[in-house]
Amino acid sequence: MQDTVESLDRNRLSVLLAVLLLGSALFRFIELPEHVWRLEPLGSPLEIRVTGVWLLVTLMVGLVCTGTNLILHGHPHLGQHPGRPIYVSWILPGTLAGLSAALLERITSWPAWLGGLFLAGVGISLVVAAEYAVVSPETSGYPTARLALNVLAYLLVFALFTFIYQTRTRSLVTATLTLLVAGVFSLDLLSVADVAFQRVLPFAGIVGLVVGEATWAMNYWQVSAWAGGLLLLLIFYVTVNVAHQYLLECLKASLLIEFAVVAIIVLVVILQRSP
């Protein structure tokens, strides 16, 4: 079969990148007002601040998801693989765009900002191209592209977990956010299993609940942000892989021992480097 990566519509991808770069550049010169909402969920005060950065992040995520959807619909074999919903392929490029926008807003130096903008554009284009390549598992570039996307998924999860944990806000917020992150990303990682997508949904929900409950408990543990993010990533990694092997009907005692050994090693490293 012809390698479908070669048939990627580069014109659509170029338009998507141009809009993203233009939007990021415009927000560099526009300063939006900040809005604050003060709530009292469960009887405790909670303050939510919405700034121009969050508007930029939302805009970038929406644009990338829309552009990715348009590009993937141009895949010649999309209709032959209906088992994995196309919106699952929005997760990685959309998250990368949102994180890139948030990080770019923190850069004050123009040369560094331009360099970061260039790297963000290249990274997003590569991720969209990889998502295009994995639409059809029969293509020659599928294994490499899928492996790259899996690695990126874990890196993004670690970044998000670390960011959420370092806020040190109420468990109602941090546990809910990590639950959502874990649930959404587990959908991406588990949906590659050759099973009906309806079977994947409850397992993704279980992964999210496990990570969310772990976050609630960890908020009482005074560790650094990276250690907290790494431990949450470890819990996410183990639960996702156990669920994946179960869906494939390949879960064995030897695999559980392997996951346990990895978890113990990482946990020892975290404890040794934690204050």
Side-chain angles (χ1 to χ4, degrees):
M1 181 180 295
Q2 182 183 0
D3 191 343
T4 57
V5 178
E6 296 179 358
S7 60
L8 172 68
D9 191 334
R10 290 178 173 81
N11 291 329
R12 291 182 179 180
L13 183 59
S14 299
V15 171
L16 171 61
L17 291 178
V19 172
L20 289 176
L21 298 180
L22 179 61
S24 297
L26 287 176
F27 270 83
R28 187 73 175 179
F29 300 98
I30 300 175
E31 188 170 338
L32 298 175
E34 179 180 297
H35 296 276
V36 180
W37 282 276
R38 293 179 174 86
L39 310 174
E40 291 191 6
L42 303 179
S44 299
L46 176 64
E47 186 176 271
I48 300 177
R49 294 180 177 272
V50 179
T51 64
V53 176
W54 289 110
L55 179 59
L56 173 61
V57 169
T58 303
L59 177 63
M60 294 297 104
V61 171
L63 287 173
V64 168
C65 290
T66 303
T68 302
N69 183 70
L70 181 63
I71 292 171
L72 294 184
H73 269 99
H75 197 290
H77 307 295
L78 181 63
Q80 300 175 11
H81 305 279
R84 188 173 190 257
I86 194 170
Y87 58 80
V88 177
S89 299
W90 304 350
I91 297 172
L92 298 185
T95 304
L96 181 60
L99 281 175
S100 299
L103 291 175
L104 285 172
E105 283 299 305
R106 295 173 177 263
I107 300 176
T108 57
S109 170
W110 273 102
W113 182 83
L114 290 173
L117 187 63
F118 172 77
L119 291 176
V122 172
I124 292 171
S125 63
L126 290 176
V127 174
V128 173
E131 290 286 1
Y132 189 89
V134 300
V135 167
S136 177
E138 290 80 15
T139 57
S140 60
Y142 178 87
T144 302
R146 188 64 258 173
L147 176 61
L149 290 174
N150 287 350
V151 172
L152 176 64
Y154 285 112
L155 290 175
L156 292 175
V157 166
F158 173 65
L160 290 172
F161 283 168
T162 303
F163 173 76
I164 294 170
Y165 190 77
Q166 64 90 27
T167 61
R168 303 292 184 179
T169 57
R170 293 178 54 189
S171 295
L172 179 64
V173 177
T174 55
T176 302
L177 290 177
T178 52
L179 184 153
L180 293 174
V181 170
V184 169
F185 276 84
S186 59
L187 276 180
D188 179 81
L189 293 167
L190 295 176
S191 62
V192 300
D194 191 17
V195 296
F197 188 70
Q198 288 74 12
R199 288 195 62 198
V200 172
L201 291 174
F203 285 93
I206 292 171
V207 172
L209 285 174
V210 170
V211 177
E213 289 292 337
T215 305
W216 200 289
M218 285 177 56
N219 282 337
Y220 297 97
W221 185 19
Q222 295 299 319
V223 295
S224 62
W226 78 266
L230 187 59
L231 183 55
L232 288 173
L233 174 64
L234 174 63
I235 297 171
F236 175 78
Y237 170 81
V238 172
T239 52
V240 164
N241 279 278
V242 169
H244 190 208
Q245 295 301 319
Y246 180 83
L247 287 171
L248 295 176
E249 298 181 354
C250 297
L251 188 60
K252 301 177 182 178
S254 59
L255 285 173
L256 292 176
I257 294 174
E258 178 184 338
F259 294 145
V261 170
V262 172
I264 292 172
I265 292 174
V266 176
L267 185 59
V268 169
V269 173
I270 294 174
L271 292 176
Q272 287 182 342
R273 294 184 175 272
S274 297

